Amino acid sequence: MMHRRMLLGGLAAAPLLGATTARAQAFPSRDLLGVIQWGAGGATDVTGRAVTPHVEAALGQKIVLQNRTGGTGAIGLTYVHGLPSDGYTLLYGAENPLLYKVLNISRLDYTDFTPICLLARSVPVIVANKDKPWNSLKELVEDMRRNPGRIRMASTGPGGQAHVVSTMLASTGPFRHISIPFDGEGPGLTALQGGHADWMTVGSGAVAEHVRAGRVKALAVFNDAPLPSLPNVPPATADYPELARLMPWGSFYGVWAKKDIPAEAREKLVAAFRTGTANPQFTQLMTGNGNVVMNTSGAEAEAFLARWQSVTAWILQEAGAARTDPATLNIPRPS
Amino acid sequence: MTEQIGFFLLSWLDPSLLALTAAGTLAGIYIGAIPGLSVTMAASILISFTFTWEVNAALALIAGVFTGGVYGGSRSAILLNIPGAPAAIATALDGYPLARRGEAGVAIGLSTVMSVIGGFVGIIALAVAAPVISDFALLFAPRDYLLLAVMGLLLVGTMSGESLAKGLFAGALGVALGMVGLDPMTAEGRFTLGTVQLMAGIPYVAAMIGFFGVSEALVQLHNLRVKPVKQDVSRIVPPWHLVRKYLPLSLRSSLIGVVIGALPGTGGDIAALMAYDQAKRTVKNPSRPFGEGAYEGLIAPESANNAAVGGAYVPMLTLGIPGDAVTAVIIGALFIHGLKPGPMLMIETPHLFWFTVGNLTLANIFLLVFGLTGIRAFAKLVECPPSVLIPLILVLSVVGTYAIQNSVVDVYFMLGFGIFGYLLKMYGFQVGPVVLGMILGPMIDVSWRRAVISVGDDLGFFVEEAFASPLTLVLLAFMSFLLLSQVPFGALWRRLRGQPPG
């Protein structure tokens, strides 16, 4: 009996001991937890897992990664928000939280967090089923205007890349199409190849190999210049120059921590991620797959996020797809 | 050809790859056997872990874990009535009754051999017909997924036990539970009561552990004084005549497994359930009635879920499209290792294909070895007195549920479902249909809506398209047959004529 009491006493003391040593030692003195908003094998997951080993080397501690999915990423974000602001928990996220308040998904979003590093962004590619007659973005858009409500687009749900890009395209002049929500880019791309959808917008990373193999037809990249990984695909601005005001636009992947973490921890994390993201192995991986490495933090990252949110929220509002008016959320109109 | 054989034998001849495949398979069996620890989770942890390794080593390890893990789920399903993974739900239906009869050893031995046979069918399909199967899988439109899911839901009829009405109630309850969470198509909250915890839905693995494991433990409390059944462990390796007798059933089930596994929207869990249903419908004279310890009810799902492993690799290797959650993680692993998963993978890195085929073959051989050793000790587990076994089940259930996503809320759900499942069982409701409804309900929901959205809500266009597709017609005809073959027309006719049934 004595033994058991001693053991329990020792266990109870252990966290206290840990806390005092943590305070005495410099950050980070133990393993970190990285919560990934999206599922295993997805773009956020893969980008996060590819950069983390390089960051661990710079940080001198392990980052234990864990997928916490659901609620278009709101579950993972809320979970991290509920943990202590000690810098030991990171959120590996994507662009979605910037639209949570506009789409009434969650009351928490990135305003409660500070960006540690924006890792990379993907460029949307507009692709069609390979048997479809369209050979340019203009032909697709004009066909949708001629045949309203007949042409099928695979989407990834409200606020997703496909939904926003089609709304942006419709800002050049309205058209009506069928939008079928799938569970993600992968399932959408599968349906596209099976002929169950006619066109969709996919991140460059997910689609590059399918384009190269000729399984799908790339009509345009949603960018103001061609991509090095898809040099023969024209930019969307070639057909619709007015889209340039909305660019650059697309999914992006980054790492966040709670806003009120200690300044020392934030500086160490920012520096470690800057080094890790600059690792040539990671940059080659990203660019080879058609992504654009960002490696931005601090004010530059805040500005990027604010602009992205403003452009996207207002285009959804104009299309009637926003559930809360961005004006009431103090999201400024894009200038 | 010699080159391909070289790639095939790569992991057989390299001692370190051989050891990794063996270690992966062994680890997979235990990961699979512990409810809550999933192969998907193990594979994604392995990716971080094997980041600095050579890609072949990482793939060998993952292939082993995948093969072992899908099989491992049957262990806890047979011994404790807790399916270690969703793919083993169907295994529990007849496996656990076998253990209660003192045949746990035979059941594990038989499920091992049948899993390996299923595994080989999957590998052969992958090696011989991968491009054909993946093109076939692409043909499935949302309406076809709907038909598949509805066919799966017909299983409620075979899982209902004493009363069909009670089975239907349990199935409908499961469908309703499956609807909780953010609507996957509009991100609108459903039954979330405004809480974030419910936004991701109720994890059906937590429900599964509660309904099967905890509720069974509570039922056992009623017969604490009953002496545990003595387990017969004299014969572990199933006799050859038994294997030969069930080979046709195993092959049939394996084919179902390959196709369902290759479909990007379905995996080993649905494959096993459909194979179980198929067995129940086609086997005229089972060794015992289904649900009471029929060998057939064990063989069909175990062959199918391991065949689904090979099936899942088919679209992944040929098109870069994941066949299930685990292959989605493998695609991520290939990408991190600098390869380009996609339709060009087989053309640009052909060695990867044959390497994987060789690996899976090897993993299945190890599965046979590891699966058939140590059964005696495992089977004796069931002989433990209830005072040891019941707490063990409860602890395992709590730990396993917590491991799904380190969430205490899931543990509360699991315990709640355990108590609720106990009450259901006391009143003659089966818990199987609840879990079935939770798995298939959401699939029916999204497939139906996708199918209707696809035609712009135009019913005429829907019918026109459905009849233009041979695949839809075949599925529709098959489903009608399943339904009509179960309707007792004679009795209905007599009742209409006012004659007494007889």
Side-chain angles (χ1 to χ4, degrees), chain A residues 33-79:
Chain A
L33 171 69
V35 175
I36 305 173
Q37 249 189 352
W38 287 97
T44 313
D45 179 71
V46 166
T47 310
R49 285 183 195 274
V51 79
T52 299
H54 307 305
V55 178
E56 285 171 340
L59 205 57
Q61 290 288 350
K62 292 292 261 180
I63 303 176
V64 180
L65 294 177
Q66 197 184 88
N67 298 87
R68 249 173 206 268
T69 60
T72 57
I75 305 281
L77 183 131
T78 311
Y79 176 72

Side-chain angles (χ1 to χ4, degrees), chain B residues 126-143:
Chain B
L126 173 66
V128 176
V132 184
I133 298 173
S134 56
D135 279 341
F136 177 65
L138 283 182
L139 285 180
F140 279 71
R143 58 171 180 275

